[in-house]
Amino acid sequence: MSHLIAEDKAFFKQLGYLVKHDVVPESLLLNALDVIWANLDVDRNDPSTWIKKGYRVVSCGSHDDIKATLYEAPIFDMAEELVGKDRLVRGG
């Protein structure tokens, strides 16, 4: 099943990016957001705790709710349409 039209692919080929709206269901985004907040060393309800010195990495990218935004929504399939089938590594 194709998620992109010819104009989408031409736009990507010419400019190197593509913006699609309303592709990831809100429920998947909210679940992923909960995972991110749970993995930050801050109080979600206290903005004064959000700013710290230095660079931080939130290592939750392998969490199922984060991966769901890519694999349960059509994002990965769209990316394959742009670069070619089997050129991307699913789960990578």
Side-chain angles (χ1 to χ4, degrees):
M1 171 186 174
S2 181
H3 297 282
L4 303 174
I5 60 175
E7 288 83 2
D8 292 333
K9 295 173 185 177
F11 184 94
F12 177 79
K13 187 173 182 177
Q14 180 181 6
L15 298 174
Y17 72 95
L18 181 64
V19 176
K20 297 296 284 182
H21 296 275
D22 301 320
V23 174
V24 180
E26 185 176 4
S27 62
L28 293 180
L29 293 174
L30 292 174
N31 291 342
L33 187 58
D34 287 341
V35 169
I36 292 169
W37 277 110
N39 283 273
L40 288 171
D41 187 24
V42 299
D43 180 347
R44 185 176 188 166
N45 300 307
D46 182 3
S48 70
T49 67
W50 299 353
I51 305 298
K52 291 186 177 182
K53 294 181 181 177
Y55 180 76
R56 289 184 295 165
V57 174
V58 180
S59 52
C60 58
S62 62
H63 191 284
D64 288 342
D65 287 330
I66 299 294
K67 292 193 295 187
T69 62
L70 182 62
Y71 301 115
E72 290 181 27
I75 301 292
F76 188 84
D77 295 332
M78 289 174 156
E80 277 198 325
E81 283 185 54
L82 294 172
V83 301
K85 185 82 171 143
D86 298 325
R87 296 197 66 200
L88 302 175
V89 178
R90 187 174 289 274

